[in-house]
Amino acid sequence: MGTAHESFWRLRLRRTLAGNGAAPVLVLLEGPAGTGKSRLVEELTGLTEGTGAACLRWTPGEAGTVPEPAEQAGDRPVLLIVDDVHRADPEELRRLHRLLEQPRPGLAAVIAYRPEELAAAGLPLGAPPPRYPPALAVLRHRIRPWTQTEVRQAATAALGERCTAEAVARLHERSGGVAQVVVDLLAVLRDSTRQRCTAADVDAAGVPVRLADLSLGRTAALPPEHRPIVWAAAALGEPVTRDELVAVSGLGQALGREALLSALAGAALTESGEGRYGLPVPLAAVAVHGSVPGPVRQELHGRAADVLARRQPVPWTALARHHHAGGRVRGWLRAVEHAAREAAEASRHQDAIHLLEQTLASPSVPPQTRARLAPLLARSAVLGLRSDQTVEVLGQIVEDQALPATVRGELRLDLGLLLCNQVGMSGQGWRELERAAAELRDARPDLSARAMSALAMPYWPGSSIDVHRAWLEGAAEAAADSGDEAVRTAVAANRAGLAMSCGDPKAWELVRALPTDNPDPRTRQHAARGLCNAADSAVWLGYHERAEELLTEGLELSAKSGSPYTQHTALGARLLLEWFTGRWAGLAERCETFVTATSDMPVICADARMVRGLLALAQGEWGNALAWLSGPDGPSPEHAAPPLAAATSGALIRLALARQELPAAAAEARKAWAGMAAKGVWVWAAELAPWAVEATARAGDRAAAQSMVDDFAAGLTGRDSPAASAALTWSRAVLAETDGRAAEAVPLYRRAAADYAALPRPYAHALTSESAARCALSAGAAEPVVDRAGGTAPDGPGEAGRDGMDRADVCGAAGAGEEATVPRPRDADGFKTQAVAELTACAQQFSDLGAVWDAARSRALLRSHQPAREVRPPGRPSYGDQLSPREREVAELAATGLTNREIATTLHLSPRTVEQHVARAMRKLGTQSRQDLAETRAVNSAAPMPQTLTNGTNHRSTRG
């Protein structure tokens, strides 16, 4: 008898049922409780469909007896399915024996059973087994537990993308891959989890009723004197050897051996291989453990602690659990300390955090032990990823006056880093670090240097760059006094970070000098942090290739040195780099995944939230853009890192200008610029300056706008930031255009566009190029044309360039290396032709990026300046049930959520004309609402919106 792959034995069954004279076949279907045996049996009944064969089913214990195929199926082939044969009585087994020992032609038999409940182990049809004739093919199929991949597929089907990778791993671990247990747990999780499902949610789901009933029923079926062997297995919670299990049970060797055999025979326990025994499903231990009387449980755990203490190496985490459950406080705390140090040294910081949080939350921990354990928790939390409980526990402990001053200072140091770097409470974090620096300066200069070094980083909001430089010098003195190389590296990393943030040309030498190959793991952790911080600064500065190199090196070193927090900050910087460099395909999804994974750490997910908002803005999803950029889940402006705060303000100003909310745009510009001036790191104004200058100038305060440009220029003196230099040129172009000096603005826009192309930053290049083309058309006094789709389109910046956001949202074709001057053709037509060509290329660039709003706006501007014969042939074309180019454009913008008024502003149309286009597009696409338009766009997100609901192609060009 062979064990066959499922596809093979299914094929043999089909062949027999086809009635082609194939030999009879028997498939023994073996599946422990809950593995899906009954589901598979149900599926097999479909094998007779279309074959003319009969299907006979029988389950022992139900009404009737073993079916007789000759009586019930005649001469037809027959599929005989017997489920749960382990329940058959002797007489029923004899009937099955006779049927299988003399099988009729065309018999395909499937006999299913639970191997753990067989009366004779390994013999599903009892002892003695049937004498199978040579003509009968006998196959066995064992249903295996689900793999983690199969569990993931089931979790995705039940929960969608809410189920995290750690939750899938925990589901697989706790269920043992038993299908029914997985399905029952998912049913609980589907109704109890909201945004995402974590490993903690899986633990909180409890024990499914079916599993609890099965496990407790099998235990209760044992003789009372044998039950402690199962209780011992539940207390241990892992497969163990026979001797360990018997020792924990307290039964003694003879009775313990007898009890183990009894539990195995009754399927209460199972052998997992290599002479180890445990409950069939790991989660069953929870149900059995909870049924054991309290005093007995405590004794079991005490004996388990004694057994585990003799293992080498000692499993300190498990030992701590058993000491605690056994009421042995001193042994528990000693084991916790060993386990936490072991986990931290192995860079398993999350394990250390979890263990220490639980321990320090207990009031039974004496002060001396608390003083030893709390710094371990704080240090692991800084390197790993904190939880809210960590902050709460440390916040309580740090106020304990019974702790030595140095311990309180060390805790303040790490608490301050947590509050700033992960929680987003920079003000409170700053105060804790200031106190730590003072408390530790004399007794622990090494820790004081770390506190002052953290205060030296310019990412703190509110303090000027001069304050940070002063803290850096204090940190350098304390580090020198400490004589600790790791501390000196921490200060060196922050010195490099400060220099990089400011665009100091010497910063690159400081980064290269970091000791990335030092054998000390603490030193490598600080070096990794320095590399990742430098990479983030390089992104903002515009050195994209160098940023990618630093990210690669920093991530690799962070992984090796065990710094999850540093890794996550680098991953956030990579999302920002992808935004700037135009790698937008799938970027929205990557941002949302990152935000979900770090949702309880607003500082870490801030990059991803901002990038997601910028993408929404470019795509015309203004409501989503506002939610991502200033929603309640993001860091508040007063706690946000200054470069992120400045870039976010720039986007909010642009959004307000697009909505013609000029007072709001100007107010945001004034507030953001004041913050930038207070900080004094002017390279960070690159994403703010052009929009702030425009809003201020358009609000009528030309002097303030000029002052902004002058401040920006002065702040960049001696700084090395290609992105900031390009933004300064852009800002000067904006100022010239808002003054009505379009001809002077053209070479400035083109110079900025060339600089952005060289970085590269394709979106910024497209925006400045569009502005150059628009100003060139305005300077050439191009005549407006009648917009046959509705009204006369305004030209130049006089109207649309202000209210319609054409000034800095337009695209052209200037590239790297072009001269920053305006080519002046001898005739106006030649001048206009060149500008139109630039604008055409720009519209395509926006479309390639996926910037729907920008593409639509630039095409609208293009139409307003193209000769009528290029826009469309004479007469009004008939599109029938196809979308016209304008209808398609309006429908795409409506699908993003823009109002008719906002679409009208973007496309230079009247709101009434937009309303008509939306109505016609909805009729042709068969949609009933604007929401339906959005769903149609989502379905077709990989391609342009279809021309009709049933035909996504159109023989006409949809351009201009």
Side-chain angles (χ1 to χ4, degrees):
M1 179 173 59
T3 299
H5 190 274
E6 183 173 349
S7 60
F8 173 73
W9 60 257
R10 279 181 184 263
L11 180 62
R12 290 298 305 268
L13 290 173
R14 290 182 185 278
R15 187 182 303 164
T16 298
L17 295 173
N20 297 325
V25 60
L26 167 64
V27 176
L28 298 173
L29 190 60
E30 178 181 300
T35 53
K37 172 178 57 65
S38 296
R39 176 188 56 81
L40 183 54
V41 164
E42 190 66 33
E43 288 180 11
L44 293 177
T45 61
L47 292 176
T48 59
E49 294 179 3
T51 66
C55 180
L56 304 178
R57 294 187 61 178
W58 175 67
T59 301
E62 295 183 354
T65 184
V66 179
E68 290 293 342
E71 297 177 3
Q72 301 181 34
D75 294 332
R76 291 182 297 161
V78 62
L79 174 62
L80 173 63
I81 298 178
V82 179
D83 195 8
D84 290 345
V85 77
H86 53 274
R87 297 178 180 174
D89 60 33
E91 179 57 31
E92 290 169 331
L93 288 176
R94 280 193 292 272
R95 289 176 178 270
L96 283 173
H97 279 218
R98 287 197 298 269
L99 185 66
L100 296 172
E101 288 174 350
Q102 297 177 351
R104 52 163 285 172
L107 174 65
V110 177
I111 295 180
Y113 60 95
R114 294 179 180 177
E116 71 274 23
E117 296 186 21
L118 292 175
L123 296 175
L125 294 170
R131 297 179 179 180
Y132 301 119
L136 179 67
V138 183
L139 306 171
R140 188 195 305 272
H141 175 68
R142 293 187 175 95
I143 301 176
R144 303 295 184 186
W146 280 357
T147 64
Q148 188 162 320
T149 299
E150 290 169 317
V151 172
R152 181 184 301 109
Q153 292 169 347
T156 302
L159 305 177
E161 298 303 319
R162 287 186 293 155
C163 197
T164 62
E166 64 172 3
V168 170
R170 187 61 60 85
L171 269 171
H172 184 256
E173 172 197 338
R174 301 281 276 172
S175 69
V178 175
Q180 187 63 61
V181 179
V182 174
V183 171
D184 288 346
L185 285 171
L186 289 174
V188 175
L189 295 170
R190 183 169 49 244
D191 298 328
S192 62
T193 56
R194 300 297 182 193
Q195 290 186 343
R196 63 177 184 145
C197 174
T198 66
D201 293 320
V202 176
D203 293 339
V207 185
V209 173
R210 287 187 184 89
L211 177 61
D213 287 352
L214 180 67
S215 304
L216 294 175
R218 288 176 173 176
T219 303
L222 298 176
E225 64 273 18
H226 292 167
R227 292 172 192 167
I229 200 74
V230 183
W231 299 346
L236 286 160
E238 60 175 328
V240 297
T241 65
R242 180 197 63 183
D243 291 343
E244 288 181 331
L245 187 59
V246 170
V248 173
S249 73
L251 295 177
Q253 286 296 320
L255 183 56
R257 179 179 179 279
E258 180 182 322
L260 178 56
L261 291 174
S262 175
L264 292 170
L269 295 180
T270 186
E271 185 176 4
S272 61
E274 300 181 1
R276 291 182 177 273
Y277 305 91
L279 286 132
V281 178
L283 190 55
V286 177
V288 175
H289 185 268
S291 71
V292 180
V296 177
R297 279 203 310 270
Q298 193 171 37
E299 293 168 0
L300 288 168
H301 283 291
R303 290 193 291 269
D306 295 338
V307 166
L308 266 59
R310 292 193 289 270
R311 288 185 185 175
Q312 291 298 326
V314 177
W316 291 109
T317 301
L319 182 59
R321 178 174 68 87
H322 290 301
H323 273 311
H324 188 237
R328 302 174 176 182
V329 175
R330 292 182 59 185
W332 165 51
L333 294 175
R334 184 170 59 252
V336 164
E337 187 168 357
H338 276 288
R341 292 188 185 280
E342 187 177 77
E345 289 170 2
S347 298
R348 293 184 286 107
H349 299 293
Q350 297 309 116
D351 292 343
I353 291 170
H354 180 70
L355 180 62
L356 291 167
E357 280 178 348
Q358 291 181 324
T359 303
L360 290 170
S362 171
S364 60
V365 180
Q368 300 91 333
T369 306
R370 192 175 296 271
R372 292 199 309 273
L373 296 182
L376 280 176
L377 171 61
R379 190 68 198 126
S380 289
V382 169
L383 291 172
L385 301 174
R386 65 91 190 170
S387 72
D388 290 330
Q389 185 178 353
T390 305
V391 176
E392 181 180 350
V393 169
L394 291 179
Q396 294 172 352
I397 296 175
V398 79
E399 299 303 329
D400 185 353
Q401 296 302 313
L403 291 176
T406 54
V407 173
R408 285 202 310 274
E410 184 176 357
L411 292 178
R412 286 192 198 284
L413 164 62
D414 290 326
L415 178 60
L417 293 174
L418 281 178
L419 291 168
C420 168
N421 294 341
Q422 300 187 35
V423 183
M425 300 176 64
S426 57
Q428 185 178 346
W430 180 278
R431 291 189 293 273
E432 294 291 354
L433 287 172
E434 281 186 319
R435 292 180 65 181
E439 290 176 349
L440 296 166
R441 182 61 181 91
D442 294 332
R444 292 294 304 274
D446 55 332
L447 298 181
S448 179
R450 283 185 52 214
M452 289 188 278
S453 178
L455 294 169
M457 292 302 290
Y459 281 88
W460 294 90
S463 302
S464 73
I465 189 64
D466 292 333
V467 171
H468 298 301
R469 288 179 176 135
W471 279 113
L472 182 63
E473 296 313 311
E477 292 178 5
D481 292 345
S482 74
D484 189 322
E485 183 178 3
V487 174
R488 289 197 296 268
T489 302
V491 175
N494 285 9
R495 185 181 295 279
L498 179 64
M500 283 290 296
S501 298
C502 297
D504 187 335
K506 298 179 181 179
W508 299 103
E509 297 178 9
L510 297 175
V511 173
R512 284 192 292 270
L514 292 175
T516 57
D517 57 352
N518 192 286
D520 180 12
R522 294 184 306 144
T523 300
R524 290 198 304 274
Q525 285 172 351
H526 291 303
R529 180 175 53 81
L531 291 175
C532 292
N533 287 344
D536 182 74
S537 294
V539 173
W540 291 108
L541 295 174
Y543 282 109
H544 299 151
E545 289 187 7
R546 294 188 187 182
E548 190 65 64
E549 293 170 359
L550 287 169
L551 280 173
T552 300
E553 186 179 0
L555 281 167
E556 181 179 352
L557 188 59
S558 298
K560 290 181 178 178
S561 59
S563 302
Y565 169 76
T566 301
Q567 287 179 273
H568 278 70
T569 60
L571 293 173
R574 175 157 282 164
L575 295 172
L576 187 65
L577 179 61
E578 291 175 354
W579 156 260
F580 279 132
T581 55
R583 290 177 281 173
W584 291 9
L587 182 55
E589 291 76 12
R590 292 194 292 277
C591 288
E592 291 175 14
T593 299
F594 189 80
V595 168
T596 299
T598 59
S599 58
D600 58 346
M601 291 170 279
V603 176
I604 290 181
C605 70
D607 287 324
R609 292 191 63 85
M610 187 192 73
V611 170
R612 184 64 185 88
L614 294 174
L615 285 167
L617 179 58
Q619 293 164 351
E621 299 170 357
W622 292 355
N624 282 340
L626 191 62
W628 282 107
L629 293 170
S630 59
D633 295 329
S636 57
E638 62 269 20
H639 295 303
L644 284 169
T648 299
S649 290
L652 293 174
I653 294 167
R654 184 185 179 199
L655 181 56
L657 290 172
R659 288 178 160 170
Q660 301 184 19
E661 299 169 353
L662 189 55
E668 181 69 28
R670 287 192 298 271
K671 182 181 71 172
W673 200 261
M676 185 56 58
K679 173 58 67 176
V681 183
W682 287 100
V683 295
W684 285 342
E687 304 306 305
L688 168 67
W691 313 111
V693 169
E694 178 179 0
T696 304
R698 285 177 56 186
D701 196 346
R702 200 275 176 194
Q706 180 65 62
S707 178
M708 287 178 175
V709 174
D710 293 343
D711 290 345
F712 193 20
L716 295 183
T717 302
R719 299 298 164 196
D720 180 18
S721 173
S725 297
L728 175 60
T729 306
W730 185 354
S731 302
R732 286 170 170 157
V734 170
L735 197 58
E737 185 181 0
T738 53
D739 281 348
R741 296 178 282 118
E744 294 180 29
V746 173
L748 292 170
Y749 276 130
R750 284 185 171 158
R751 184 184 306 155
D755 290 343
Y756 281 123
L759 291 180
R761 287 194 180 180
Y763 188 54
H765 165 249
L767 292 174
T768 48
S769 297
E770 182 192 17
S771 296
R774 184 195 58 254
C775 286
L777 290 169
S778 177
E783 292 294 330
V785 297
V786 175
D787 180 357
R788 293 183 176 84
T792 300
D795 78 322
E799 180 180 342
R802 301 298 177 259
D803 297 339
M805 277 296 289
D806 281 335
R807 196 274 318 147
D809 296 332
V810 191
C811 173
E818 292 186 341
E819 293 295 327
T821 58
V822 185
R824 303 290 297 185
R826 295 181 180 180
D827 57 88
D829 285 344
F831 185 87
K832 180 177 179 180
T833 298
Q834 178 182 356
V836 166
E838 292 175 343
L839 200 52
T840 301
C842 177
Q844 182 60 50
Q845 189 173 3
F846 279 132
S847 295
D848 292 343
L849 282 170
V852 174
W853 172 46
D854 301 287
R857 185 196 56 252
S858 59
R859 286 195 297 264
L861 180 63
L862 182 62
R863 277 191 296 272
S864 71
H865 287 283
Q866 281 183 315
R869 65 179 181 277
E870 294 184 20
V871 177
R872 59 169 66 108
R876 180 178 294 277
S878 175
Y879 291 93
D881 63 351
Q882 304 285 308
L883 292 182
S884 72
R886 180 56 60 85
E887 288 166 352
R888 177 169 173 258
E889 195 167 60
V890 169
E892 285 186 336
L893 291 177
T896 67
L898 296 188
T899 64
N900 287 351
R901 180 174 174 271
E902 291 166 344
I903 296 171
T905 300
T906 298
L907 300 181
H908 311 164
L909 303 173
S910 69
R912 175 61 179 164
T913 300
V914 171
E915 182 181 350
Q916 294 171 350
H917 284 316
V918 171
R920 285 196 291 269
M922 288 170 58
R923 175 179 56 79
K924 292 180 180 181
L925 292 171
T927 57
Q928 301 298 316
S929 66
R930 295 169 84 101
Q931 178 61 35
D932 292 340
L933 281 177
E935 292 174 358
T936 300
R937 176 174 179 259
V939 170
N940 295 274
S941 59
M945 180 170 284
Q947 294 296 318
T948 68
L949 189 62
T950 58
N951 183 5
T953 60
N954 186 6
H955 66 281
R956 294 181 178 273
S957 170
T958 58
R959 276 188 197 287

